[in-house]
Amino acid sequence: MERKYLNSQFWKYILPSMFTMLLSGFYSIVDGLFVGNSVGNDALAAINLVYPIQVILNASAIGAVALSYFSGRDETKSADRSLGSTITLLIVAGIVLSIVLFFATPTLLEILGASGTIYEYAYDYIFVILCGGLLPVLGNGLSPLIRNYGKTIVATICMSSGLVTNIVLDPSFIFVFNMGVNGAAWATIISQTISAIWAFQFLLSKKTVLRLRKDCMKIEKDILVPCIGLG
């Protein structure tokens, strides 16, 4: 019975996790689909080329491991600390990493082989993404907190809402407003904002026993170390 229970719990968490990871990768695919049909092959190549930079940004969305650990042991106060510390860590990582990548982008694009028109498209796209870099970090980083709290369906809905928004905004910005690759980037940023808002709304609601308090927002070593180690 215990093994059966563990198997059910495992699949309860792993399947939504795999699905949300798949959804996060769809953003670039959707952007590339619409941009390729509107602007051309060079723009499509540019979006594919800067994808590794986006992955670096999204990789900073870590930290749910500490929340899962303390919640599993029913240590509510420690779980509260991990929740606040993780959100603070996400904010700091989103801002710092966006700034670092912003200044490193010209060099990174050259290393990735961008030149000419492709370089221009790639820079225009990633410039918008990095200007709003905190939003993708929060959009991708808050959902695992909800999932590891046990609300796997809610976490999936948060990510899905962002992707659906992206699918709606991409053709509007690219075809209707003729914004090209900038429109695709703005659609991604706005979509990630929607995901973050949904996640915050849940974390601040009465549906969770966890509470965001000012005294829990400090980044603590016992939470920071495992988060960075996992990332």
Side-chain angles (χ1 to χ4, degrees):
M1 290 295 294
E2 182 179 355
R3 182 176 181 180
K4 184 177 180 181
Y5 172 77
L6 290 175
N7 285 336
S8 65
Q9 289 296 103
F10 174 80
W11 290 112
K12 175 184 176 181
Y13 284 93
I14 197 64
L15 290 178
S17 298
M18 292 170 62
F19 185 65
T20 52
M21 287 296 294
L22 184 64
L23 291 179
S24 65
F26 275 161
Y27 280 92
S28 292
I29 295 175
V30 172
D31 287 351
L33 176 65
F34 288 109
V35 165
N37 282 280
S38 174
V39 184
N41 292 333
D42 284 347
L44 173 59
I47 289 180
N48 290 329
L49 188 139
V50 298
Y51 182 68
I53 300 178
Q54 288 182 268
V55 171
I56 294 174
L57 188 64
N58 293 337
S60 64
I62 57 176
V65 59
L67 174 62
S68 178
Y69 174 77
F70 291 122
S71 295
R73 298 181 62 176
D74 291 326
E75 298 180 14
T76 304
K77 291 185 178 180
S78 295
D80 285 345
R81 289 192 303 110
S82 67
L83 176 64
S85 296
T86 299
I87 292 177
T88 302
L89 180 61
L90 287 173
I91 294 173
V92 172
I95 294 174
V96 172
L97 194 57
S98 295
I99 294 173
V100 172
L101 289 175
F102 179 81
F103 288 104
T105 289
T107 302
L108 291 175
L109 290 179
E110 291 179 2
I111 293 174
L112 292 171
S115 61
T117 304
I118 294 179
Y119 180 97
E120 294 176 4
Y121 283 140
Y123 187 86
D124 289 343
Y125 180 83
I126 202 63
F127 175 82
V128 175
I129 296 294
L130 293 177
C131 283
L134 174 61
L135 300 171
V137 171
L138 290 177
N140 286 291
L142 293 176
S143 292
L145 292 175
I146 298 175
R147 183 177 64 247
N148 284 16
Y149 175 65
K151 303 296 183 179
T152 55
I153 302 300
V154 176
T156 303
I157 291 175
C158 288
M159 289 294 294
S160 300
S161 65
L163 181 61
V164 171
T165 303
N166 192 45
I167 294 174
V168 172
L169 292 181
D170 261 339
S172 300
F173 288 169
I174 296 172
F175 293 109
V176 178
F177 297 103
N178 198 30
M179 295 174 64
V181 294
N182 283 333
W186 278 111
T188 296
I189 290 298
I190 294 173
S191 301
Q192 295 285 11
T193 303
I194 298 298
S195 294
I197 291 174
W198 271 91
F200 266 123
Q201 185 179 21
F202 175 80
L203 291 172
L204 294 173
S205 70
K206 295 181 180 179
K207 297 179 181 179
T208 171
V209 297
L210 300 177
R211 290 293 178 264
L212 286 175
R213 304 192 308 270
K214 291 183 178 179
D215 59 320
C216 292
M217 300 303 288
K218 181 180 178 181
I219 300 177
E220 301 186 23
K221 183 178 179 180
D222 61 332
I223 296 173
L224 176 64
V225 173
C227 288
I228 293 179
L230 178 65

